[in-house]
């Protein structure tokens, strides 16, 4: 099954988004890994940020051989995800897609689609059109 990786600056945001998405599927669903937040060196508490090495590890954990779709929140999360691919096994990178989808809407679409057994291209495509329903509702 296509794995999903959630990259966010906030661990709490990622966990909440994953919790919402998991409620949309029954009986399991795809493997979802979170790479979010960093340890604040001054306070030794969880802080905001992204870590390319943690993202790479999450991608490798999420991959079961079918591939992985990575959803990210803001700006530097994208840079970190791209950097993470440099640390990831090349055969896994070939099966990994970075999605431009909005994090929450895209994650829900990706999880529901991955739960059907869809490949990473289909999962990424559904994630990327997930916000269309909101767009159409507001256009009325």
């Amino acid at each position: 099954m296509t794995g999903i990786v959630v990259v966010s600056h906030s661990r709490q945001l990622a966990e909440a988004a994953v919790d919402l998405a998991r409620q949309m599927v029954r009986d399991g669903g795809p493997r979802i890994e979170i790479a979010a937040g960093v340890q604040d060196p001054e306070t030794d508490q969880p802080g905001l940020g992204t870590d390319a090495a943690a993202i790479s590890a999450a991608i490798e954990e999420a991959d079961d051989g079918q591939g992985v779709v990575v959803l990210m929140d803001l700006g530097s999360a994208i840079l970190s995800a791209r950097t993470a691919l440099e640390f990831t096994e090349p055969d896994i990178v070939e099966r990994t897609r970075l999605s431009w989808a909005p994090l929450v809407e895209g994650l829900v679409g990706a999880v529901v689609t991955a739960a059907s057994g869809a490949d990473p291209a289909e999962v990424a495509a559904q994630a990327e059109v997930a916000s269309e329903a909101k767009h159409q509702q507001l256009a009325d």
Side-chain angles (χ1 to χ4, degrees), residues 56-105:
S56 176
I59 291 169
E60 292 185 0
E61 283 293 318
D63 182 55
D64 69 356
Q66 183 165 328
V68 176
V69 173
V70 181
L71 292 113
M72 301 141 284
D73 60 7
L74 304 170
S76 64
I78 298 166
L79 177 62
S80 293
R82 285 184 167 159
T83 302
L85 296 179
E86 296 175 17
F87 306 142
T88 306
E89 293 293 323
D91 61 318
I92 297 174
V93 171
E94 289 180 20
R95 300 188 293 266
T96 300
R97 292 179 178 262
L98 304 182
S99 173
W100 55 263
L103 184 62
V104 175
E105 293 90 342

Side-chain angles (χ1 to χ4, degrees), residues 20 23 29 31-32 40 42 45 50 53 60-61 86 99 104 107 109 114 118 121 123-124 131 137 139:
L20 174 67
Q23 292 181 42
R31 184 172 185 136
I32 305 172
D40 185 329
E42 293 182 16
Q45 297 292 316
T50 57
E60 292 185 0
E61 283 293 318
E86 296 175 17
S99 173
V104 175
L107 179 60
V123 171
S131 63
Q137 285 177 309

Side-chain angles (χ1 to χ4, degrees), residues 6-18 33-39 46-51 71-74 76-77 103-104:
V6 175
V7 177
S8 174
H9 285 76
S10 165
R11 181 85 189 175
Q12 293 88 351
L13 173 63
E15 289 174 348
V18 169
E33 295 292 329
I34 294 174
V38 294
Q39 199 76 11
L48 297 178
T50 57
D51 177 346
L71 292 113
M72 301 141 284
D73 60 7
L74 304 170
S76 64
L103 184 62
V104 175

